[in-house]
Amino acid sequence: MSDAKKQIPLRLSEKLYSEIAAWAEDDFRSVNGQIEYLLSECVRKRKKSKPDTSNGNE
C-alpha cells in the first residue's frame, strides 16, 4: 500500500471542530493529524470487533 495521502473535503460544525482542535492540542497534534488518528483508531477497532470468517465458520 502506498503512503500517498488522499485529500478530501470535510465539513464539520464549528462545535465539533473546536472540540477536535482542543483534543489535538492536548495530544500535541494538528487538527488534521488528530482526525486521521481518530479515523485510524476507529477502523482498527472495527476490524478487531468483526468476527473472523476466514476459517469458513460463522
Side-chain angles (χ1 to χ4, degrees):
M1 184 180 240
S2 173
D3 285 341
K5 299 205 178 194
K6 174 81 173 158
Q7 292 184 5
I8 60 166
L10 179 64
R11 291 178 182 85
L12 302 173
S13 69
E14 285 290 329
K15 183 178 183 207
L16 180 57
Y17 182 88
S18 295
E19 292 289 335
I20 293 172
W23 193 356
E25 188 174 324
D26 289 346
D27 289 353
F28 303 105
R29 291 189 181 102
S30 66
V31 172
N32 187 75
Q34 189 73 6
I35 292 169
E36 187 174 3
Y37 169 77
L38 293 170
L39 288 171
S40 295
E41 283 298 299
C42 287
V43 168
R44 184 185 62 78
K45 286 179 183 178
R46 183 173 188 267
K47 284 181 180 179
K48 196 174 183 181
S49 69
K50 281 190 168 184
D52 182 12
T53 58
S54 61
N55 62 8
N57 297 329
E58 293 188 35

